[in-house]
Amino acid sequence: MNRLALALCFVSLAALGQPAPDAGTSAVDTPAHPAPDDSRSSTPAVGDAPRTPQEGSASNASSAADTRPPPAEGEAASEDSSDSTCPDPFTEDEGDLSDSTVLGALQVEVDGQGLTPTGLELRGLQRLTDARVRKLVGAPSAEDSRPLTATAIQTLLHRLARTGLFARVEPRVRVTDSGPALLEVTLEENPTITSLEIAGLQDLRPEELWGPLFERPSHHLDADDDEDVTTLRIHKRRGTWRVVSPCPPPRPPKRWLARREAGAFRPGILLGGLDAALGRVLKALREDDGYLLATVSATLSPDGRLVVTVDEGRLESVEVRGVDDAMAVRVRDALGLEPGDVFLRSDARRALERLESRLPFLRTVDSEDLQDERTRVRIVEEREPDGTRRYRTQEEAKRGSRRHERVEFELGWSRMFHGWGDLGSDGFTLEGNRLIVHVRPRPPDLDVDLLPVHTQVTGFAPGLSASLRFFDSRDRVHTTLEGAFFIPLRLGGQRLPDDPEGTRRQRRVNLLGGAKVQLPALGIEELGAQVHDFIDTLDRWRMGDFDSYLYSFLINRPDRDYFRRQGFTAFATWRWARSWLAGVEVRGDTMRSLQSFTPPLSLFRDDDPPFPNAPVNEGRFRSAVVRLEYSAAAERGTRVGSLFRTPETTLFERHTNKKREPALRGFVTMEVGEGPGADGAETRFWKLVGDVAMDLPMNWHTGLSLRLRAATGHDLPLQKQEALGGWTALRGFGFKELRGGDSSVLASAEYRWHGLGIFADLGSVHAASAWADPRLGMGASFHFGDSVRLDAAWRIDDRIRLTPEARLLFNRTF
């Protein structure tokens, strides 16, 4: 049973069950489909006028309605307004097909006196017939002579303009001496396409452009093309119904339109016009597909053959503005863009990333400053005498605007938010097929990071770290000033039992400060020094700062040992290649042991004993550290080093492997020094640490990570002795469960498949002239990105438990 018949059955049953109407209300209007507005008007709309005979049953019903006996007086008003419930789909979405360029002004020229037209005449139709157009927009038939009100004319003209079938709608009221006034509408149909050819493509396929070429406005897509809307007349007292007149179709039939159907081209009228369709193709190429230099041209022959030629756009040259010629050469080399290649937006972004990485003392110009220099494109039409139409892409410069000078100041929080910030503006414009890159010297850069320090020996100790970098536009000497502080707060009554002096000492402000320079011409990445008086740790290779502070606050498990360190460090780092660096440090420090505060300041487990803090050999230590590091994923120009530098960790920041290819990284450090030994006498010591890791991506979300860390030494002070156990140093075992050694070996393997992963750690410690039995820890992880993950680990030995050790970790340490 079709939808119309089913609706009629329900409507008839509902009508039979109604009580007798009051006098003068013997009929109501019921639409077969819901209408957007139930209001009634005494002025008939254009769609309310009698229609031309329709095909099939609708035509018979309409004819019967016209030949029926006159209605009773009480029914007349209802009958006259029966069609006012018809929806008007051509007014639903004004953003799809604007009338402003299609609909001309209505001209009435009768000595300033307004006239009411009594007929409608359509002129200029070629492919379409008069009857079809009238039926589509709900216009009165050619024989109808009833007056057309201003509201009716406005509705009719609006519908004609919004169908998308006409390039021009020109209304005019024509008055003759011998006859009535007529509304004369001259229509220019949009082109009819009989065949289609798309030429010139290299990377794309022609079918990929059919979508934007034949795109239809939203109000042409929301229902079936063959759906009819009909107004019914229901007589309450007699329980009968009849069709008064069919509503106009909600949209042009699909069979009239040029379209893609069943994977093939179907000829018809190009909805909205060819210039708009080519404009959509150009927009899709440039904005969606990223072909920033793409152009579109087309030729439409009088017989409807359309040939669209697409040029995906090749780069002609690269011009650098804002720096001198010598620096412009370096900028072009860093960009790595070759003339003659098809130019994509992704190519430009990667080029600008390379530029900011290799020449960090330059920056691209803010996009707001480039608005006046950017060009816009549009499709222009040219018509030849033989009827051939030609279309081409034309670039136009935007009109300039007045701007006020601005003072620039950067406040960077990139480290705090792990580099999630915007990379900046595009920094380029296009002039024809030339790429114009706009750069300028980078102003001083200030980075400020929050230090939410929380340890067992300080409690909550918030602070800040800051780095102020001055760039040399000639790339000779770049200077960096950096510093940090954090202050232990007096919260929760924390103290050292029976030691008020020790409590005051551990609550002292922690300070670090230093300066360094970079000399690119000599390959010197760092040359500087720092002074410090703060609470330090050598366990940063085990767990990241944020993770340690978080779990110290939550569950009283920081998994780190701390000591007071007061002194200075001088250093020099030489980076002779993108992935290689070598360095030397000279250290002079006085170290003191610290005790855990009582009671522990933690959200949970605050009734547990304080987390133990291991003692150190106290006194004055002097040492020299040499290092060699490699990172395949390191980028040129990225910073190295940190205020919190230790021989146990790398100077390279951890870089994301964007290329998804095997990447090796690692370092070796050798420290030689002297200081108080176990008996308090001056003792010489040395320590060698090596840490190598490799990432082996299988595909975008699957990969294997391997790590090998080994360390050995002689006459090591307590704070430098080797220990294993805990995150991420033999997961599943307790923190430094295997401690007191002069050597250790740790191997780790992790396999990740999308968000899931498994891992295994194997390690052993050499102590008392013997190696302990190797210990194995295994577990699983759930990843929430490249850094955040939830780990669950079990120790695999005779003390294994069903319940694992679990942590949500936010930093990767290898």
Side-chain angles (χ1 to χ4, degrees), residues 756-770:
L756 303 177
I758 57 174
F759 59 82
D761 296 338
L762 181 66
S764 179
V765 173
H766 183 273
S769 302

Side-chain angles (χ1 to χ4, degrees), residues 535-655:
I535 293 174
D536 197 10
T537 179
L538 295 177
D539 294 329
R540 287 189 172 87
W541 69 274
R542 301 172 182 273
M543 180 179 286
D545 288 338
F546 181 80
D547 292 330
S548 176
Y549 302 153
L550 177 65
Y551 286 103
S552 176
F553 167 70
L554 289 179
I555 58 174
N556 189 28
R557 293 295 183 270
D559 282 3
R560 281 184 178 180
D561 288 325
Y562 291 91
F563 53 88
R564 190 86 188 190
R565 179 178 165 214
Q566 181 179 13
F568 74 94
T569 300
F571 50 86
T573 305
W574 179 39
R575 187 176 182 180
W576 72 90
R578 175 180 62 86
S579 300
W580 289 93
L581 65 80
V584 60
E585 300 175 18
V586 177
R587 294 168 166 252
D589 294 305
T590 298
M591 300 185 184
R592 298 187 182 278
S593 296
L594 300 173
Q595 300 180 44
S596 297
F597 278 144
T598 301
L601 182 64
S602 60
L603 188 61
F604 306 103
R605 296 185 179 180
D606 55 348
D607 54 349
D608 287 356
F611 189 83
N613 189 67
V616 302
N617 291 129
E618 298 186 333
R620 177 72 175 174
F621 289 83
R622 298 170 297 279
S623 64
V625 180
V626 294
R627 67 174 65 237
L628 178 66
E629 298 192 19
Y630 174 82
S631 176
E635 300 289 345
R636 292 183 182 273
T638 54
R639 300 188 194 185
V640 300
S642 168
L643 268 175
F644 305 97
R645 56 203 301 144
T646 71
E648 314 285 336
T649 55
T650 177
L651 297 181
F652 273 127
E653 293 183 356
R654 181 179 174 85
H655 298 273

Side-chain angles (χ1 to χ4, degrees), residues 276-405:
L278 295 177
R280 293 193 299 268
V281 171
L282 184 61
K283 180 180 179 181
L285 287 169
R286 294 198 173 200
E287 298 184 10
D288 300 339
D289 298 329
Y291 292 89
L292 300 181
L293 298 178
T295 59
V296 176
S297 61
T299 301
L300 178 64
S301 62
D303 59 358
R305 289 184 293 109
L306 175 63
V307 179
V308 179
T309 303
V310 177
D311 182 358
E312 293 164 335
R314 294 183 178 274
L315 191 63
E316 180 180 309
S317 62
V318 178
E319 180 180 339
V320 180
R321 296 178 183 174
V323 293
D324 57 33
D325 294 340
M327 189 59 65
V329 173
R330 295 184 60 184
V331 171
R332 282 192 291 270
D333 291 341
L335 291 172
L337 298 174
E338 297 296 333
D341 292 341
V342 173
F343 185 62
L344 289 165
R345 183 190 297 112
S346 57
D347 296 333
R349 289 177 177 171
R350 285 192 294 266
L352 293 178
E353 288 177 2
R354 289 193 297 267
L355 171 63
E356 295 194 0
S357 173
R358 298 181 184 182
L359 304 178
F361 55 92
L362 298 177
R363 59 167 296 177
T364 55
V365 176
D366 184 64
S367 59
E368 293 184 1
D369 297 330
L370 299 180
Q371 291 301 316
D372 296 342
E373 302 186 39
R374 299 187 189 277
T375 60
R376 60 181 180 181
V377 295
R378 66 187 184 95
I379 301 296
V380 296
E381 177 185 355
E382 298 174 352
R383 301 193 183 189
E384 298 182 357
D386 62 354
T388 301
R389 302 185 187 186
R390 300 191 185 278
Y391 300 82
R392 59 182 175 84
T393 302
Q394 178 175 298
E395 296 193 5
E396 297 177 346
K398 289 186 176 180
R399 179 178 298 177
S401 61
R402 300 179 60 183
R403 291 187 175 273
H404 298 285
E405 293 294 329

